[in-house]
Amino acid sequence: MNYVCSTVHTLDALRAIRDDLARVAELPGAASGIVQHPDWLVFEVESRQDGTVPHVVVVRDGNGRVVGYLPLLAVEHTARLDVAGRRVKLYRGAALRLLGSGVVAREAERDGVELAVTRQLAGDLDIRVIRIQEADLPNRFATALGGRGGFRVVSANLLDQVHWSIDPQPSAEAWLAAMDRKKRADQVQRVGRAYRKLGGDAALHVFDGGQDMARYCRLMNEVYARTWHHAELPIDWEAPERVALFRRLADAGHLVGHIVLREGRPLAYVHGYRIGGTYLVDDLGYDDEVAKVGIGSVAVFQAVRGLLDRFPGERISFGYGDNQYKRLLSTRAEPCGSLYVVRPTRATAGFRMYAPVRWIYRGLHRVRADLRARRGAL
């Protein structure tokens, strides 16, 4: 089948085809995450004040029907490499940031959409750098660009990362039954112990309706300000653009949030999104004052049990990172990482530093690991 590509560069043009894009994104398995939904694309651009604009490659069939798209944002990007405590600038200039890990399309049409998109990008010589974050590896879209588009794929992670997830389950009981008996008993008992220590009317509450989002965002702002990562990544959960986005997503069944409340005060949260048969645990946190209770990991366990019973057969993704709760709750671990896909030019020559530095760094890391293992064996 012949496909025709066009590129959307403005919010008005993006809004004009929002429904066509959403129809594709909400098909099972079409999108790699909520960030590929057109509503999220609009939010990303509206909430930024740094000149970011859409660069969405839309693919249509011979009848003019949208069969897929590639959600990109055009940004000014600085690529740096940490070397011996120093951050060496490798590139500064125009780049495209991919939301998600590849094209958005039905599985039956993915190959054709991917081919059309790679040809479109390869033909635009102004495109020099494409950034893909948190992609499962190997990444088929990056491979396609490298093979057909004349680009070079560069791994931006000095060490391998891991993507943790729970495979589709018929129920929470089935998931628990597959656990080691001791681990299962420990997880269940921790829930009771945590809530006894909290006292009062402490309980996990679910927020998933558009009408709940104003209150949900207010509570999230309150608890997030008391978490350890607030200083590193400040977020205004009550920003009008965010509340409006959450209302749209919740009304469409794409947002399910969880907050532990005691006497009306939020103590912990598990925030995530559903799309295409997957629930992504996007963020979680807890009030530092109750950290010793372990309510953060308890809330995750409760949330997962509820989601597995409410949406049987759906996958739960924890994203990447080597947290203990991910190891305990997941049934699958897959390699992932961040990539740059670059067109070989003088301006992008600095990216060649990644491969040798990565090789040296991984070697040193293996040596340190071997030394620790030997000392432990003595």
Side-chain angles (χ1 to χ4, degrees), residues 118-180:
T118 54
R119 287 175 173 172
Q120 179 84 352
L121 295 175
D124 188 344
L125 298 182
D126 289 332
I127 296 174
R128 295 183 298 191
V129 177
I130 299 173
R131 190 182 183 200
I132 308 175
Q133 295 178 275
E134 300 181 27
D136 286 346
L137 300 178
N139 179 261
R140 60 174 286 167
F141 178 65
T143 301
L145 272 177
R148 305 171 187 147
F151 290 83
R152 182 162 51 89
V153 181
V154 178
S155 176
N157 292 99
L158 297 182
L159 288 178
D160 292 336
Q161 303 289 321
V162 179
H163 177 195
W164 303 91
S165 60
I166 299 174
D167 288 322
Q169 305 287 327
S171 66
E173 283 305 312
W175 169 62
L176 288 170
M179 284 187 186
D180 172 82

Side-chain angles (χ1 to χ4, degrees), residues 16 41 50 60 68 70 84 98 119 141 147 159 192 215 233 236 248 267 311 315 336 339 344 377:
L41 278 165
D50 56 4
R60 300 178 184 271
L70 185 72
L98 175 63
R119 287 175 173 172
F141 178 65
L159 288 178
R215 179 174 179 240
L233 183 64
D236 181 4
R248 289 194 296 271
L267 301 178
F311 309 110
R315 175 173 172 260
C336 70
L339 303 172

Side-chain angles (χ1 to χ4, degrees), residues 333-355:
E334 298 171 301
C336 70
S338 296
L339 303 172
Y340 285 106
V341 185
V342 301
R343 193 187 300 274
T345 66
R346 182 178 298 177
T348 61
F351 285 103
R352 293 184 180 276
M353 287 185 61
Y354 267 107

Side-chain angles (χ1 to χ4, degrees), residues 1 8 15 33 35 128-129 152 164 172 214 273 297 342 349 363 365-366:
M1 181 178 290
V8 171
R15 291 190 181 100
V35 294
R128 295 183 298 191
V129 177
R152 182 162 51 89
W164 303 91
Y273 307 97
S297 56
V342 301
H365 189 269
R366 283 194 297 269

